[in-house]
Amino acid sequence: MTTPETDKIAYGGDYNPEQWPEPVWDEDHRLFRAARIDTLTVGVFSWALTQPAEDTYDFTVLDRILDRAAAEDRRVCLATGTAALPPWLARAHPEVNRTDFEGRRHRYGQRHNFCPGSPAYRRLSAALADRLAERYAAHPALLAWHINNEYGGACYCDRCAAAFRVWLRERYGALDALNDAWCTAFWSHRYTNWEEIEAPSALTEHWRGPDHTAFQGITLDYHRFTTDALLGCFLGEKEAIRAHDPDTPVTTNFMGAYRPLDYHRWAPHLDFASWDSYPPLDAPPTRAALGHDLMRGLKDGAPFWLMEQTPSTTACREVNPLRRPGELRLATWQAVAHGADAALYFQLRASRGACEKYHGAVIGHAGREDTRVFREVADLGRELAELGPATLGARTPARTALLFDWDSWWALELSDGPSRLVRYQDVVHTYYRAARAAGADVDVVAVTADLTPYDVVIAPVLHMVKGDLAPRLEAVAARGGTVLTTFLSGRVDEHDNAFLTDVPGPLAGLLGVRVDEWDARPAGTANPVVLGTGDEALHTEARLVFEIVLPRGAEPVGTYRADFYAGTPAVTRHPVGASGGEGWYVATALDQPGVDWVVRRVLARHGLVGPYADHLSVETAARTAPDGTRLLFLLNHAPEPVSVTAHTTAVDLLTGKRAERGETLTLDPYGVRVLRPEQGRAH
Ligand code: GLA
Ligand code: ZN
């Protein structure tokens, strides 16, 4: 089962009309029509409404909302509404409230607040999903199921600790294996009874917040356990839905690169991926793009849904800037360019009160349509309607993979030494950004993904190397591909125990290097690095961590210029086998120009530098439709126009205009082109 079937990009968003009087619904639908809004995400926070007491369900209002949607020819993404508890539930079953990292048992309040191990929560959330599915499985408006909302966080109650012990028994079988995995010979931690194991929290192994643990092994396993515990909640609801509805696709809205949950462990259980994109508004556009590509990678490249984005402004941040004119359109086309088959907002009409009353909405408190935001939303709605089905089901023909690994992320950021300043996401983003700037389409995939479709595999801070990953990376190079990895890779096994070999452990053969020592310096201290020689040399800088590399078959590509390791390699390449494959190693946190230089050289080896790579503000992204038609998106992220030379003769699907190869194409400020090259070929 896959992404819901629609005849155009689904357009709409979160719609909570139970929060306002019914006469306003007429106005809602009139405005939806004006904006070509066809998809409504309904019921995300409706638990207290649909189940006012433990033994009472009341679907009167929800019936009316769905019937009305159907009558207006709109489709509904129906949420189970289990992400915010009703007060009666918390009062009747206080165990549903979470216990936080500090050990405080919470009382009723907020949302996303349930203990994943609470039997009452499991029972009642599945029961609600069951009732909803029974009632609406055959409803003509139903398009997709949206379970819960932004699962996240963790609970440290005694019940969760007990469930953790059960999970550990299943994972390790015997305490000896657990003691070995957690290295409990250190600091006298040898467990002799499962009951001795506590949840790792501020009261136990942690001395300064969630990242400072005395034992990485237990904390790492608690992250994995929490991922599975919340997934168990999702599966309980999904099973209840499936009992009534075998067909309608099921999703839950993720949050992109969200550290607490390993979405790769969830991915097989979703019919399609969806996520909420709220990039900080000063972030480079590659931040959102990385989120899109990571989400697309969850389901083997199948299209995902952009479940939420703000049409204008967020509310939860200290300062909540507006999206500038044109930015919403650009962000939406960017999502489509990266594989979104839906563009949905949070939210369609603003709530009157509570903490999100100032959150941006398609329709504001005054209910007007003559606002800038409504006009931009409506213009985009028209454009998406005119485009029709051209992008639906299209896939990204990427030959570059970037490995993204929650275990490596956790292990790296839970570790003492060498530097707390190295942030996994930042390093990953630097490499992703470099590849995107060079014009390469990138699949962001799990370390377990099939690597055979790729010429280039980039694995930044691949801290943990598990299973057969090392031989699979070697195979990429053996058939002529290039593998690029960085400092702090190949350090630990799946339990976060160091490999008892030279660094970089199982990657040493592929990379042809040995690392005995590593230096770390404050963020303000740079070591100059020279990359390459002669005309193509780049003088750049590196920071944070400086590994001292002894080449063992690799050749230096760049060298440090300062400190006692001046003149030693900072970047190396290692020819592998007879097919021209290579293993590249970047031993330090190069600045962005340095990473750009390295990544571009690697991509160039395989002809993967795109035709518009020299236009800094222009992002390109390719998609191939199910009928083989290739589409090339050109996105101008600058507030000024930019002119490029068309690399192929193509029709712009947004304007219907044809441009000859070699002709000058001018993109407006924040402008977008969706080019369909003639003969269906982009290159
Ligand atoms: C999240 C939630 C929504 C809403 C928005 C506000 O994505 O899913 O319910 O709170 O944030 O930005
Ligand atoms: Zn709990």
Side-chain angles (χ1 to χ4, degrees):
M1 197 172 302
T2 167
T3 323
E5 271 183 42
T6 55
D7 53 10
K8 59 174 277 292
I9 293 167
Y11 192 53
D14 273 47
Y15 179 51
N16 307 304
E18 68 274 20
Q19 296 178 15
W20 46 88
E22 214 167 313
V24 179
W25 301 8
D26 296 338
E27 213 23 39
D28 291 340
H29 280 278
R30 186 183 71 76
L31 294 170
F32 294 160
R33 199 170 321 119
R36 314 285 183 110
I37 283 170
D38 48 43
T39 304
L40 312 175
T41 306
V42 167
V44 181
F45 298 110
S46 302
W47 197 344
L49 174 78
T50 49
Q51 192 179 6
E54 184 153 350
D55 51 4
T56 316
Y57 290 92
D58 179 354
F59 295 107
T60 329
V61 179
L62 213 49
D63 282 354
R64 297 176 75 83
I65 296 171
L66 269 91
D67 291 351
R68 180 66 190 262
E72 301 272 355
D73 221 12
R74 309 217 144 77
R75 308 295 299 278
V76 167
C77 172
L78 186 55
T80 57
T82 52
L85 302 170
W88 62 258
L89 199 164
R91 180 152 175 264
H93 306 280
E95 50 153 276
V96 296
N97 295 314
R98 274 190 196 172
T99 296
D100 68 19
F101 181 74
E102 276 75 33
R104 301 173 304 176
R105 160 61 60 88
H106 283 215
R107 302 173 71 94
Y108 181 70
Q110 303 184 56
R111 64 169 179 178
H112 301 159
N113 48 2
F114 52 90
C115 161
S118 152
Y121 179 76
R122 293 268 181 135
R123 175 171 59 80
L124 291 165
S125 59
L128 179 56
D130 172 82
R131 292 296 190 107
L132 287 162
E134 179 182 41
R135 192 168 191 91
Y136 299 113
H139 198 283
L142 185 69
L143 176 61
W145 288 102
H146 175 302
I147 292 181
N148 204 276
N149 188 69
E150 295 190 337
Y151 280 103
C155 181
Y156 298 86
C157 74
D158 290 344
R159 198 183 297 271
C160 285
F164 180 46
R165 290 189 283 269
V166 171
W167 185 94
L168 291 169
R169 274 179 189 250
E170 273 168 27
R171 178 170 170 82
Y172 293 106
L175 270 179
D176 279 352
L178 175 141
N179 278 311
D180 189 48
W182 290 0
C183 198
T184 58
F186 181 76
W187 284 4
S188 185
H189 266 50
R190 200 186 145 69
Y191 293 99
T192 52
N193 187 314
W194 293 96
E195 295 306 312
E196 293 156 2
I197 300 168
E198 304 268 7
S201 73
L203 304 180
T204 64
E205 296 298 355
H206 287 248
W207 72 89
R208 180 146 67 85
D211 284 359
H212 292 73
T213 175
F215 282 80
Q216 280 77 34
I218 185 172
T219 302
L220 197 59
D221 274 343
Y222 208 72
H223 286 325
R224 293 166 172 155
F225 158 75
T226 295
T227 291
D228 288 355
L230 285 166
L231 175 59
C233 297
F234 170 87
L235 290 175
E237 291 194 38
K238 186 178 178 192
E239 206 178 297
I241 290 170
R242 282 285 170 255
H244 301 284
D245 180 353
D247 300 322
T248 309
V250 173
T251 191
T252 182
N253 50 340
F254 284 157
M255 292 177 273
Y258 173 68
R259 198 182 75 163
L261 297 185
D262 181 347
Y263 289 150
H264 287 133
R265 290 165 86 100
W266 285 59
H269 306 287
L270 269 53
D271 296 323
F272 68 106
S274 65
W275 83 291
D276 304 343
S277 178
Y278 293 99
L281 293 193
D282 52 358
T286 38
R287 277 277 175 188
L290 174 57
H292 295 316
D293 287 352
L294 176 65
M295 296 294 101
R296 191 186 70 241
L298 294 178
K299 297 299 289 179
D300 286 331
F304 60 91
W305 271 23
L306 177 60
M307 189 64 89
E308 294 181 22
Q309 68 167 330
T310 178
S312 55
T313 169
T314 52
C316 60
R317 298 185 170 137
E318 291 289 301
V319 175
N320 298 278
L322 273 177
R323 294 190 128 163
R324 269 52 200 161
E327 286 185 353
L328 170 66
R329 173 175 183 259
L330 180 61
T332 306
W333 282 114
Q334 185 192 38
V336 173
H338 285 265
D341 272 3
L344 307 178
Y345 298 110
F346 183 88
Q347 51 195 333
L348 294 183
R349 185 184 278 270
S351 60
R352 182 174 184 203
C355 62
E356 289 182 349
K357 69 176 177 297
Y358 294 136
H359 195 287
V362 172
I363 308 166
H365 293 136
R368 304 191 73 89
E369 61 193 294
D370 59 348
T371 63
R372 176 185 71 88
V373 171
F374 188 87
R375 270 195 299 267
E376 287 197 27
V377 167
D379 288 348
L380 188 51
R382 186 176 23 77
E383 213 169 25
L384 293 170
E386 281 166 13
L387 181 74
T391 58
L392 298 179
R395 299 205 163 225
T396 302
R399 288 163 63 200
T400 303
L402 183 141
L403 302 190
F404 193 99
D405 183 37
W406 264 267
D407 272 331
S408 283
W409 190 356
W410 292 335
L412 177 83
E413 295 187 0
L414 291 176
S415 281
D416 281 356
S419 170
R420 290 271 175 192
L421 302 180
V422 177
R423 305 309 289 176
Y424 181 75
Q425 256 201 101
D426 291 344
V427 184
V428 167
H429 176 254
T430 310
Y431 281 81
Y432 174 80
R433 183 180 187 170
R436 296 291 301 134
D441 290 302
V442 179
D443 281 348
V444 178
V445 298
V447 292
T448 49
D450 175 15
L451 300 179
T452 53
Y454 304 110
D455 296 333
V456 172
V457 177
I458 303 175
V461 271
L462 184 60
H463 199 60
M464 181 181 290
V465 177
K466 300 169 282 195
D468 63 352
L469 179 58
R472 286 190 304 111
L473 289 170
E474 282 169 8
V476 172
R479 62 174 163 77
T482 304
V483 177
L484 164 62
T485 186
T486 72
F487 62 104
L488 294 175
S489 293
R491 294 301 186 109
V492 295
D493 66 15
E494 62 171 316
H495 306 299
D496 198 54
N497 288 315
F499 292 116
L500 300 178
T501 60
D502 292 329
V503 171
L507 305 177
L510 168 61
L511 300 167
V513 297
R514 175 180 133 198
V515 175
D516 293 350
E517 294 183 89
W518 41 91
D519 191 15
R521 309 286 285 158
T525 307
N527 193 315
V529 167
V530 181
L531 297 169
T533 52
D535 283 352
E536 61 156 22
L538 179 74
H539 292 254
T540 186
E541 286 185 340
R543 278 165 219 276
L544 304 185
V545 169
F546 311 89
E547 292 180 344
I548 303 174
V549 173
L550 306 172
R552 290 292 177 269
E555 310 161 0
V557 171
T559 47
Y560 297 115
R561 307 312 278 178
D563 222 309
F564 77 93
Y565 38 90
T568 69
V571 179
T572 57
R573 54 183 275 274
H574 182 221
V576 178
S579 321
E582 291 188 350
W584 285 58
Y585 192 66
V586 180
T588 180
L590 287 179
D591 59 10
Q592 187 72 54
V595 173
D596 289 347
W597 188 97
V598 169
V599 168
R600 201 178 273 225
R601 257 144 206 85
V602 165
L603 293 170
R605 300 189 68 238
H606 302 277
L608 293 176
V609 176
Y612 306 104
D614 293 328
H615 295 278
L616 288 183
S617 74
V618 177
E619 177 182 2
T620 63
R623 286 185 78 182
T624 308
D627 67 0
T629 306
R630 296 191 64 162
L631 302 170
L632 183 69
F633 292 78
L634 299 185
L635 307 156
N636 177 20
H637 290 281
E640 306 86 37
V642 61
S643 295
V644 304
T645 306
H647 77 294
T648 178
T649 300
V651 174
D652 179 357
L653 297 185
L654 298 183
T655 59
K657 288 201 186 117
R658 184 166 176 276
E660 296 285 334
R661 179 196 168 111
E663 210 175 283
T664 299
L665 281 180
T666 300
L667 291 157
D668 295 334
Y670 300 132
V672 177
R673 304 262 177 159
V674 183
L675 301 181
R676 190 185 58 211
E678 284 192 350
Q679 286 103 40
R681 300 209 58 83
H683 295 287

